Amino acid sequence: MKKAFPVYDICSLADNQHHDLLISRFAPYLQKHHNLALAHKHSFYHVVLFTRGGGKHAIDFKQFDVKPYQIYFMAPGQVHSWSFEGPVDGYIINFSAEFFQSFLLRPEYLDSFVFFTGDVNEQVIELDGTVQQDINRLFEQLISESAQPSRLNMDMIRALMLQLFITVAREKTEGSTLGVPGYNYTLLQSFRKLVDKHFATLRLPKDYAALLYITPNHLNALCNDMLGIPAGELIRDRVVLEAKRLLINHDMNINEIAGKLNFADNSYFTKFFKKYTGQTPEDFRKTQYRNEHSR
């Protein structure tokens, strides 16, 4: 069994590049880091455009078919793996959360792009023919600028990356997430961030409503209107996701995972996990291990 669950930072993947940034064509990146096919986490934002290839890739245990001119976005902390069929190519950008902070007056600007919120359903985008050429051109410019990094090159890279994000967001959402986010969107993002921080100890919508200075009914209405699910389900889904992430780390036993997630005992955790996934924690762990080692 795999003894450790790897978490990669940019420095561990890059050679002689800026410690906050790695830009590369995908084929040589894949050849050098073939071990990344196994499930792992990143401590950075991760953007990939496929221009050639097929197979599967997974983000937080949701499977996607690899297709040319499919672009996907990952936020720090998400679990990620892939299984390709035949030659694969494209482009990759890895960048830290700090990369834009000194460049933008709004350090939370990336949160205005729905594909960087950590919602798997928003992170994989198939680009149609009208923007494929524009996106290709931007990636080629990024490759060129990253070949000789300097202060001005880095600022140009930041500008090109923002142009890339805005182009994709405009194509996907017709501008609804651009500019200054609306009150409800900002409130929802604040709720999600609080859940990410406190899901192990705060499990009730009323706890988060109090932190947001709104009523539980307001919070539930917000989630139902914008996500189609109640606030309690979003909290529960986050607990289940973290349980899955921990279960593929074979260094931790089930009791340790139950304790880390603040369940009273192993039995309660097992009942909770099976209720919402259809599998016991042990069965989920075995299934993931078989899937990973059958590639």
Side-chain angles (χ1 to χ4, degrees):
M1 284 188 173
K2 176 163 60 80
K3 288 306 236 183
F5 181 64
V7 179
Y8 294 100
D9 58 27
I10 294 176
C11 293
S12 66
L13 299 177
D15 285 334
N16 302 320
Q17 289 211 36
H18 196 280
H19 69 278
D20 284 330
L21 179 72
L22 186 157
I23 298 173
S24 174
R25 299 188 192 278
F26 191 74
Y29 178 87
L30 178 62
Q31 185 177 15
K32 182 176 181 180
H33 302 294
H34 55 85
N35 58 306
L36 296 183
L38 300 178
H40 60 279
K41 283 185 182 181
H42 299 143
S43 64
F44 47 83
Y45 289 94
H46 179 64
V47 181
V48 174
L49 171 70
F50 292 115
T51 58
R52 178 191 183 193
K56 302 283 186 182
H57 70 264
I59 303 173
D60 278 337
F61 311 100
K62 182 168 182 177
Q63 292 274 355
F64 297 92
D65 293 324
V66 173
K67 302 175 183 178
Y69 286 97
Q70 177 192 71
I71 188 168
Y72 74 93
F73 301 82
M74 285 183 58
Q78 292 189 283
V79 172
H80 158 67
S81 63
W82 55 53
S83 177
F84 296 128
E85 297 172 0
V88 180
D89 205 357
Y91 305 90
I92 186 167
I93 305 173
N94 297 332
F95 66 99
S96 71
E98 294 76 29
F99 185 64
F100 284 105
Q101 285 184 354
S102 62
F103 189 70
L104 298 172
L105 292 176
R106 288 172 49 206
E108 78 288 353
Y109 183 72
L110 290 183
D111 293 340
S112 67
F113 298 106
V114 69
F115 43 70
F116 278 137
T117 62
D119 183 347
V120 176
N121 297 313
E122 302 286 355
Q123 291 179 296
V124 179
I125 301 164
E126 294 180 21
L127 302 173
D128 66 30
T130 60
V131 296
Q132 289 177 5
Q133 188 173 352
D134 291 339
I135 297 299
N136 251 355
R137 175 181 53 79
L138 288 167
F139 272 107
E140 285 294 334
Q141 288 179 269
L142 284 163
I143 292 286
S144 177
E145 292 290 342
S146 67
Q148 43 182 347
S150 69
R151 185 185 66 80
L152 290 179
N153 287 91
M154 283 296 161
D155 284 350
M156 179 60 79
I157 286 170
R158 291 179 175 93
L160 289 168
M161 286 171 62
L162 290 174
Q163 188 177 347
L164 171 68
F165 302 156
I166 292 169
T167 300
V168 174
R170 189 165 56 187
E171 176 71 12
K172 177 177 170 58
T173 64
E174 298 181 345
S176 63
T177 61
L178 300 179
V180 179
Y183 171 75
N184 282 343
Y185 182 83
T186 301
L187 188 60
L188 178 63
Q189 290 307 100
S190 297
F191 174 47
R192 279 176 157 157
K193 288 180 178 180
L194 287 172
V195 172
D196 271 343
K197 185 176 181 180
H198 299 294
F199 65 85
T201 54
L202 301 181
R203 300 285 173 83
L204 299 177
K206 68 177 183 179
D207 298 325
Y208 293 95
L211 292 172
L212 292 166
Y213 301 101
I214 60 176
T215 67
N217 285 341
H218 185 175
L219 181 59
N220 267 317
L222 174 74
C223 291
N224 278 314
D225 288 346
M226 299 195 71
L227 301 176
I229 60 173
E233 188 170 337
L234 189 148
I235 300 166
R236 185 180 68 236
D237 287 349
R238 183 63 183 86
V239 177
V240 171
L241 173 59
E242 192 65 20
K244 289 179 176 180
R245 290 176 173 177
L246 293 172
L247 282 164
I248 61 173
N249 177 2
H250 290 276
D251 277 352
M252 297 184 71
N253 62 43
I254 305 301
N255 283 330
E256 290 172 327
I257 293 171
K260 188 174 181 65
L261 295 175
N262 209 35
F263 284 90
D265 54 46
N266 182 17
S267 175
Y268 181 34
F269 170 59
T270 296
K271 290 177 182 177
F272 170 88
F273 190 84
K274 186 173 183 180
K275 179 178 180 180
Y276 295 112
T277 69
Q279 291 181 296
T280 66
E282 293 88 348
D283 287 342
F284 175 83
R285 173 173 272 178
K286 290 175 183 176
T287 300
Q288 292 299 311
Y289 177 79
R290 284 196 301 269
N291 290 345
E292 198 164 279
H293 289 266
S294 65
R295 293 171 183 166

Short mmCIF file of all heavy atoms in Angstrom, two decimals, residues 257-285:
data_model
loop_
_atom_site.label_atom_id
_atom_site.label_comp_id
_atom_site.label_asym_id
_atom_site.label_seq_id
_atom_site.Cartn_x
_atom_site.Cartn_y
_atom_site.Cartn_z
N ILE A 257 -8.80 9.00 11.70
CA ILE A 257 -9.57 9.87 10.81
C ILE A 257 -10.85 10.33 11.49
O ILE A 257 -11.21 11.51 11.43
CB ILE A 257 -9.87 9.14 9.48
CG1 ILE A 257 -8.56 8.92 8.72
CG2 ILE A 257 -10.87 9.93 8.64
CD1 ILE A 257 -8.71 8.02 7.50
N ALA A 258 -11.54 9.41 12.17
CA ALA A 258 -12.75 9.77 12.90
C ALA A 258 -12.45 10.85 13.94
O ALA A 258 -13.20 11.82 14.09
CB ALA A 258 -13.36 8.53 13.56
N GLY A 259 -11.33 10.69 14.65
CA GLY A 259 -10.96 11.69 15.65
C GLY A 259 -10.62 13.02 15.04
O GLY A 259 -11.00 14.08 15.56
N LYS A 260 -9.89 13.00 13.91
CA LYS A 260 -9.51 14.24 13.25
C LYS A 260 -10.74 15.02 12.77
O LYS A 260 -10.73 16.26 12.75
CB LYS A 260 -8.58 13.94 12.07
CG LYS A 260 -7.96 15.16 11.42
CD LYS A 260 -6.96 14.76 10.37
CE LYS A 260 -6.31 15.97 9.70
NZ LYS A 260 -5.50 16.76 10.64
N LEU A 261 -11.78 14.30 12.39
CA LEU A 261 -13.01 14.94 11.92
C LEU A 261 -14.00 15.19 13.04
O LEU A 261 -15.15 15.59 12.80
CB LEU A 261 -13.66 14.07 10.83
CG LEU A 261 -12.85 13.94 9.54
CD1 LEU A 261 -13.53 12.97 8.58
CD2 LEU A 261 -12.67 15.30 8.87
N ASN A 262 -13.57 14.93 14.28
CA ASN A 262 -14.35 15.26 15.47
C ASN A 262 -15.61 14.41 15.63
O ASN A 262 -16.62 14.88 16.16
CB ASN A 262 -14.72 16.75 15.47
CG ASN A 262 -14.88 17.32 16.87
OD1 ASN A 262 -14.17 16.91 17.78
ND2 ASN A 262 -15.81 18.24 17.03
N PHE A 263 -15.55 13.16 15.17
CA PHE A 263 -16.64 12.23 15.45
C PHE A 263 -16.39 11.59 16.81
O PHE A 263 -15.24 11.36 17.21
CB PHE A 263 -16.71 11.16 14.37
CG PHE A 263 -17.32 11.64 13.08
CD1 PHE A 263 -16.51 12.18 12.09
CD2 PHE A 263 -18.69 11.58 12.87
CE1 PHE A 263 -17.06 12.64 10.90
CE2 PHE A 263 -19.25 12.04 11.69
CZ PHE A 263 -18.44 12.57 10.70
N ALA A 264 -17.49 11.30 17.52
CA ALA A 264 -17.36 10.77 18.88
C ALA A 264 -16.63 9.44 18.91
O ALA A 264 -15.87 9.16 19.84
CB ALA A 264 -18.74 10.64 19.52
N ASP A 265 -16.87 8.61 17.89
CA ASP A 265 -16.19 7.32 17.84
C ASP A 265 -16.20 6.80 16.41
O ASP A 265 -16.86 7.36 15.52
CB ASP A 265 -16.83 6.30 18.79
CG ASP A 265 -18.32 6.12 18.57
OD1 ASP A 265 -18.75 5.98 17.39
OD2 ASP A 265 -19.08 6.14 19.55
N ASN A 266 -15.48 5.70 16.20
CA ASN A 266 -15.35 5.10 14.89
C ASN A 266 -16.70 4.64 14.34
O ASN A 266 -16.99 4.78 13.15
CB ASN A 266 -14.38 3.90 14.98
CG ASN A 266 -14.14 3.24 13.64
OD1 ASN A 266 -14.43 3.81 12.60
ND2 ASN A 266 -13.59 2.04 13.68
N SER A 267 -17.55 4.10 15.20
CA SER A 267 -18.85 3.59 14.77
C SER A 267 -19.72 4.71 14.20
O SER A 267 -20.36 4.55 13.15
CB SER A 267 -19.56 2.92 15.96
OG SER A 267 -20.86 2.51 15.59
N TYR A 268 -19.75 5.86 14.87
CA TYR A 268 -20.55 6.98 14.40
C TYR A 268 -20.03 7.49 13.06
O TYR A 268 -20.79 7.79 12.14
CB TYR A 268 -20.54 8.09 15.45
CG TYR A 268 -21.36 9.32 15.09
CD1 TYR A 268 -22.54 9.21 14.37
CD2 TYR A 268 -20.95 10.58 15.50
CE1 TYR A 268 -23.29 10.33 14.05
CE2 TYR A 268 -21.68 11.71 15.18
CZ TYR A 268 -22.85 11.57 14.45
OH TYR A 268 -23.58 12.69 14.13
N PHE A 269 -18.70 7.57 12.94
CA PHE A 269 -18.10 8.00 11.68
C PHE A 269 -18.46 7.04 10.55
O PHE A 269 -18.81 7.46 9.45
CB PHE A 269 -16.58 8.10 11.83
CG PHE A 269 -15.84 8.31 10.54
CD1 PHE A 269 -16.10 9.42 9.74
CD2 PHE A 269 -14.88 7.39 10.11
CE1 PHE A 269 -15.43 9.61 8.53
CE2 PHE A 269 -14.20 7.57 8.92
CZ PHE A 269 -14.49 8.68 8.13
N THR A 270 -18.38 5.75 10.81
CA THR A 270 -18.68 4.74 9.78
C THR A 270 -20.13 4.85 9.32
O THR A 270 -20.42 4.80 8.12
CB THR A 270 -18.39 3.33 10.32
OG1 THR A 270 -16.99 3.22 10.59
CG2 THR A 270 -18.78 2.27 9.30
N LYS A 271 -21.05 5.02 10.26
CA LYS A 271 -22.47 5.17 9.91
C LYS A 271 -22.70 6.42 9.07
O LYS A 271 -23.44 6.41 8.09
CB LYS A 271 -23.33 5.21 11.17
CG LYS A 271 -23.41 3.88 11.90
CD LYS A 271 -24.22 4.03 13.19
CE LYS A 271 -24.27 2.70 13.96
NZ LYS A 271 -24.99 2.83 15.25
N PHE A 272 -22.07 7.52 9.49
CA PHE A 272 -22.20 8.79 8.75
C PHE A 272 -21.67 8.64 7.34
O PHE A 272 -22.33 9.00 6.36
CB PHE A 272 -21.42 9.88 9.49
CG PHE A 272 -21.28 11.17 8.73
CD1 PHE A 272 -22.24 12.16 8.83
CD2 PHE A 272 -20.16 11.40 7.93
CE1 PHE A 272 -22.10 13.36 8.12
CE2 PHE A 272 -20.01 12.59 7.23
CZ PHE A 272 -20.99 13.56 7.33
N PHE A 273 -20.48 8.07 7.19
CA PHE A 273 -19.85 7.96 5.88
C PHE A 273 -20.66 7.04 4.97
O PHE A 273 -20.89 7.36 3.79
CB PHE A 273 -18.42 7.42 6.05
CG PHE A 273 -17.61 7.48 4.79
CD1 PHE A 273 -16.94 8.65 4.44
CD2 PHE A 273 -17.49 6.38 3.94
CE1 PHE A 273 -16.18 8.72 3.28
CE2 PHE A 273 -16.75 6.45 2.78
CZ PHE A 273 -16.08 7.62 2.45
N LYS A 274 -21.12 5.92 5.49
CA LYS A 274 -21.89 4.99 4.66
C LYS A 274 -23.23 5.58 4.25
O LYS A 274 -23.69 5.36 3.12
CB LYS A 274 -22.10 3.67 5.40
CG LYS A 274 -22.77 2.61 4.53
CD LYS A 274 -22.82 1.26 5.21
CE LYS A 274 -23.44 0.22 4.26
NZ LYS A 274 -23.50 -1.12 4.91
N LYS A 275 -23.84 6.35 5.12
CA LYS A 275 -25.13 6.96 4.81
C LYS A 275 -25.03 7.87 3.59
O LYS A 275 -25.94 7.90 2.74
CB LYS A 275 -25.64 7.75 6.01
CG LYS A 275 -26.98 8.44 5.77
CD LYS A 275 -27.46 9.17 7.02
CE LYS A 275 -28.81 9.86 6.76
NZ LYS A 275 -29.28 10.58 7.97
N TYR A 276 -23.93 8.60 3.47
CA TYR A 276 -23.83 9.61 2.42
C TYR A 276 -22.97 9.18 1.23
O TYR A 276 -22.91 9.90 0.23
CB TYR A 276 -23.30 10.91 3.00
CG TYR A 276 -24.28 11.50 3.99
CD1 TYR A 276 -23.98 11.56 5.35
CD2 TYR A 276 -25.54 11.95 3.58
CE1 TYR A 276 -24.89 12.08 6.27
CE2 TYR A 276 -26.44 12.46 4.49
CZ TYR A 276 -26.13 12.52 5.83
OH TYR A 276 -27.04 13.02 6.72
N THR A 277 -22.32 8.02 1.31
CA THR A 277 -21.53 7.55 0.18
C THR A 277 -21.94 6.16 -0.30
O THR A 277 -21.58 5.77 -1.41
CB THR A 277 -20.02 7.49 0.52
OG1 THR A 277 -19.79 6.46 1.48
CG2 THR A 277 -19.54 8.83 1.06
N GLY A 278 -22.66 5.42 0.53
CA GLY A 278 -23.05 4.06 0.17
C GLY A 278 -21.97 3.04 0.44
O GLY A 278 -22.15 1.84 0.16
N GLN A 279 -20.83 3.46 0.99
CA GLN A 279 -19.72 2.57 1.32
C GLN A 279 -19.24 2.82 2.73
O GLN A 279 -19.34 3.95 3.23
CB GLN A 279 -18.53 2.78 0.37
CG GLN A 279 -18.73 2.35 -1.06
CD GLN A 279 -17.47 2.61 -1.87
OE1 GLN A 279 -17.05 3.74 -2.05
NE2 GLN A 279 -16.84 1.53 -2.35
N THR A 280 -18.69 1.79 3.37
CA THR A 280 -18.00 2.03 4.63
C THR A 280 -16.66 2.69 4.32
O THR A 280 -16.16 2.62 3.19
CB THR A 280 -17.73 0.71 5.37
OG1 THR A 280 -16.82 -0.08 4.61
CG2 THR A 280 -19.03 -0.07 5.61
N PRO A 281 -16.05 3.34 5.30
CA PRO A 281 -14.72 3.92 5.06
C PRO A 281 -13.71 2.89 4.57
O PRO A 281 -12.91 3.17 3.68
CB PRO A 281 -14.34 4.48 6.43
CG PRO A 281 -15.64 4.77 7.11
CD PRO A 281 -16.58 3.70 6.64
N GLU A 282 -13.74 1.68 5.14
CA GLU A 282 -12.81 0.63 4.72
C GLU A 282 -13.03 0.24 3.27
O GLU A 282 -12.07 0.07 2.50
CB GLU A 282 -12.96 -0.61 5.61
CG GLU A 282 -12.52 -0.39 7.06
CD GLU A 282 -13.63 0.16 7.94
OE1 GLU A 282 -14.69 0.58 7.40
OE2 GLU A 282 -13.45 0.17 9.17
N ASP A 283 -14.30 0.11 2.87
CA ASP A 283 -14.59 -0.27 1.48
C ASP A 283 -14.18 0.82 0.51
O ASP A 283 -13.66 0.55 -0.58
CB ASP A 283 -16.09 -0.57 1.32
CG ASP A 283 -16.49 -1.89 1.96
OD1 ASP A 283 -15.60 -2.72 2.22
OD2 ASP A 283 -17.70 -2.08 2.21
N PHE A 284 -14.41 2.09 0.89
CA PHE A 284 -13.98 3.21 0.04
C PHE A 284 -12.47 3.19 -0.14
O PHE A 284 -11.95 3.35 -1.24
CB PHE A 284 -14.42 4.54 0.65
CG PHE A 284 -13.91 5.74 -0.09
CD1 PHE A 284 -14.56 6.21 -1.22
CD2 PHE A 284 -12.75 6.40 0.32
CE1 PHE A 284 -14.08 7.31 -1.93
CE2 PHE A 284 -12.26 7.49 -0.38
CZ PHE A 284 -12.93 7.95 -1.50
N ARG A 285 -11.75 2.99 0.94
CA ARG A 285 -10.28 2.96 0.89
C ARG A 285 -9.79 1.83 -0.02
O ARG A 285 -8.90 2.04 -0.85
CB ARG A 285 -9.73 2.80 2.31
CG ARG A 285 -8.24 2.58 2.38
CD ARG A 285 -7.76 2.61 3.82
NE ARG A 285 -7.44 3.98 4.24
CZ ARG A 285 -7.03 4.31 5.46
NH1 ARG A 285 -6.93 3.39 6.39
NH2 ARG A 285 -6.74 5.57 5.75
#
